[in-house]
Amino acid sequence: VTVTSSMPNEGRTTISINLASVMGQMKKTLLIDADMRRPALAKSLDHPANSPGLSNLIAGTAELKDCIYKEEKGGFRFMPGGQIVANPLELISSPRFKQLLDKLSEYFDQIILDTPPTQAVSDAFVMGSMADAVVYVAKADATPINVIKNGLTRLQYANANVIGVCLNQVDTEKQSSYYYYGGYYDSYGYSG
C-alpha cells in the first residue's frame, strides 16, 4: 500500500503509522519511509535519524537485517528512509527497488510505503504503479480540491490503483454533521 498526498504536512506519515499499527495486529507488517528527500518516520517513532534504511539498502551500502527495526507499541516493523541521497527517483526507478519489494513481500504480509507528496516530486507515481493499492491523504480545509484532483489524475495515468482518499485533520467541532453522527454513534454505545 502506497500512502501519499498532494503537499507536505497533510499527515501522510501519521496515517501510515496508524495503518501499520492496525495491520500489524493481524498480519506481519512493514512500514517503509520511502520519502528519501525528507524522511519523517524515524523522528515520528523516536528512532535515531541517521539509521540505515531504504536508501542504504537500494544503494547496497547496508544489509537488510541492519535496516529493519521493530516498533514495540505498534506491533509492526519499519524501515527508515536512510541516508539522504542526491536522486531518490533514480533509486526507486531502478530494478533493485522492485527486487527489494519482491523480496520483502516474501517475509511480510503487508508493506506500507510512506511516500513524498505528488505535487513536489514524481516518486509517489512510480511507487504507486508498483503497489497493489494507493491511499491518498488530504488535509481538511487546507488542500485545494483542484490540487487533489490533479494528484489523483496523475496517479491514474501512472496506473496506480487508488482505493480511497483519507480526509485528515478534520475539525469535527466545525462540521455541522458532527452532532448528527455523534447522536448516531451514541445510540450504539460508542460515545466517549
Side-chain angles (χ1 to χ4, degrees), residues 13-14 17 33 39-47 71 73 114:
T13 300
T14 301
I17 291 169
D33 190 341
L41 183 63
K43 182 178 179 182
S44 296
L45 296 175
D46 294 325
H47 187 78
E71 169 53 32
K73 294 180 229 165
D114 180 15

Side-chain angles (χ1 to χ4, degrees), residues 36-37 85-92 123:
M36 292 180 276
R37 288 175 180 83
V85 293
N87 192 353
L89 185 57
E90 188 176 305
L91 286 180
I92 63 166
D123 302 18

